[in-house]
Amino acid sequence: MANRSKVVFFLLPLLLTTISAQTTKLTPNFYRTTCPNVESIVRSAVRQKFQQTFVTAPATLRLFFHDCFVRGCDASILLASANGNNEKDHPDDISLAGDGFDTVIKAKAAVDSNPQCRNKVSCADILALATREVVQLTGGPFYTVELGRRDGRISTKASVQRQLPHPNFNLDQLNSMFATHGLSQTDMIALSGAHTLGFAHCGKFSNRIYNFSPRNPVDPTLNFQYAMQLRQMCPRNVDPRIAINMDPNTPRTFDNVYYKNLQQGKGLFTSDQVLFSDRRSRNTVNLFASSNAAFNQAFVAAMTKLGRVGVLTGNKGEIRRDCTRPN
């Protein structure tokens, strides 16, 4: 009997730990009782913003990715500081379009204008929901968003260093970086498909069209005709603010044309084209190019995994009243 009570005593903390671990998991109906209409409120605010400018879509999608890869999906990318020492001030984040930030701020204001929801929904969850909306608004899949993230209180420029993929990455570098967040090569290739939307500044790929190597001024994996078009749009010493579409064919539609472009040597970044030029990832590119459904399915799976990266739940973090500053 004494032994049995010892076993029960031993199992009880284990059981409580398991229960607490379960209760802090993200769940689609996290706000069912506190803010039941959160999804429709965010949807309406994002659609309104999207009608004002298309940039809302790629800007919000990129903002979510940059947030999750640094300190996890905790909306730390949104924090602003007077001394310019936050995540958003790092060179890798400085090109994040203001419309992405504005989308979250407007959606947060809409949520908080509902008395039942005021100060109940995190900026991190609003960013995750807004991201789903812009994917669907541009023709991509609708998917269930897990909720229950809390907002981080810390945001530093230093924390961004070497945490985000660069345009010149090879496959090993990409796989290694994504693997640190529990994302597979297939996840990485599917998430790269977000480059079906949006634009890039000339400086991010100019080395591929002007000074790739002493023997090859133009990157040999780049479609030569496309390279000449890029030179016309991005002449030497071009204004650094000039940006061109990542997908030259359907830049305003979330689709699998990005992968068809890779098959033709029309990946804008080295890190795009390598997905096809490296044999280890080519089969996945070919699959996504041949089937929009296969791409959508893989993208949704990868986005769900991405949305769980480093999240703060339970009593960690806070529900920010103003998305740009800690409470």
Side-chain angles (χ1 to χ4, degrees):
M1 185 70 189
N3 280 349
R4 191 181 296 171
S5 64
K6 274 184 187 172
V7 170
V8 171
F9 183 73
F10 174 74
L11 286 175
L12 193 61
L14 201 66
L15 188 65
L16 291 174
T17 307
T18 310
I19 291 167
S20 70
Q22 286 172 341
T23 54
T24 57
K25 269 188 182 172
L26 301 181
T27 165
N29 55 12
F30 184 81
Y31 297 105
R32 187 179 56 204
T33 55
T34 50
C35 182
N37 299 327
V38 63
E39 297 198 27
S40 58
I41 296 171
V42 171
R43 182 171 302 132
S44 172
V46 173
R47 287 187 176 196
Q48 205 172 341
K49 173 72 183 170
F50 181 74
Q51 281 162 4
Q52 291 166 4
T53 172
F54 174 82
V55 179
T56 300
T60 304
L61 187 51
R62 190 165 173 239
L63 190 64
F64 180 66
F65 181 85
H66 279 235
D67 182 48
C68 292
F69 258 49
V70 179
R71 307 189 80 93
C73 311
D74 67 345
S76 53
I77 188 70
L78 300 171
L79 291 171
S81 70
N83 63 6
N85 196 32
N86 281 17
E87 281 176 38
K88 65 194 295 241
D89 304 306
H90 189 277
D92 290 351
D93 282 334
I94 213 102
S95 64
L96 289 169
D99 287 302
F101 295 90
D102 191 50
T103 299
V104 180
I105 288 162
K106 283 191 161 63
K108 171 73 168 167
V111 169
D112 281 354
S113 69
N114 181 317
Q116 186 181 357
C117 301
R118 189 167 301 137
N119 302 331
K120 302 269 173 56
V121 183
S122 68
C123 301
D125 276 346
I126 288 172
L127 175 54
L129 286 169
T131 302
R132 188 262 309 272
E133 295 309 323
V134 298
V135 168
Q136 196 197 16
L137 280 168
T138 50
F142 180 87
Y143 55 94
T144 301
V145 177
E146 297 176 334
L147 301 166
R149 298 168 195 80
R150 286 166 68 85
D151 298 322
R153 297 185 179 96
I154 301 165
S155 179
T156 66
K157 194 193 282 191
S159 61
V160 183
Q161 201 64 24
R162 293 190 291 280
Q163 296 302 312
L164 293 164
H166 278 216
N168 59 351
F169 269 17
N170 61 31
L171 188 68
D172 290 326
Q173 290 170 306
L174 288 167
N175 278 336
S176 168
M177 182 167 278
F178 278 71
T180 61
H181 300 297
L183 298 162
S184 67
Q185 177 173 285
T186 302
D187 294 329
M188 180 271 291
I189 298 168
L191 291 170
S192 298
H195 286 173
T196 180
L197 300 175
F199 46 84
H201 295 92
C202 295
K204 295 286 183 191
F205 57 87
S206 59
N207 66 307
R208 298 188 72 205
I209 56 175
Y210 288 115
N211 52 354
F212 183 71
S213 72
R215 186 178 290 181
N216 295 303
V218 175
D219 183 341
T221 65
L222 191 60
N223 179 302
F224 191 75
Q225 199 178 352
Y226 181 49
M228 294 306 102
Q229 290 172 347
L230 292 175
R231 279 187 172 187
Q232 285 182 320
M233 292 184 277
C234 294
R236 285 183 189 274
N237 305 317
V238 68
D239 183 329
R241 289 169 300 182
I242 297 291
I244 68 156
N245 292 323
M246 295 287 294
D247 173 355
N249 295 315
T250 58
R252 286 174 169 247
T253 308
F254 191 97
D255 56 21
N256 66 334
V257 172
Y258 166 82
Y259 301 101
K260 295 177 184 180
N261 293 337
L262 299 186
Q263 291 175 320
Q264 297 163 28
K266 294 181 180 178
L268 191 59
F269 294 161
T270 300
S271 58
D272 293 314
Q273 194 55 49
V274 75
L275 303 179
F276 183 75
S277 56
D278 193 310
R279 287 182 179 176
R280 295 171 294 169
S281 45
R282 188 178 298 162
N283 285 345
T284 307
V285 170
N286 288 338
L287 170 66
F288 293 166
S290 68
S291 168
N292 199 51
F295 163 50
N296 282 345
Q297 190 178 349
F299 182 79
V300 168
M303 284 294 278
T304 304
K305 283 167 77 172
L306 176 63
R308 296 170 183 160
V309 170
V311 293
L312 301 171
T313 57
N315 56 6
K316 292 177 183 166
E318 63 186 15
I319 306 293
R320 243 178 260 157
R321 285 188 283 277
D322 173 349
C323 287
T324 65
R325 57 174 72 120
N327 291 346

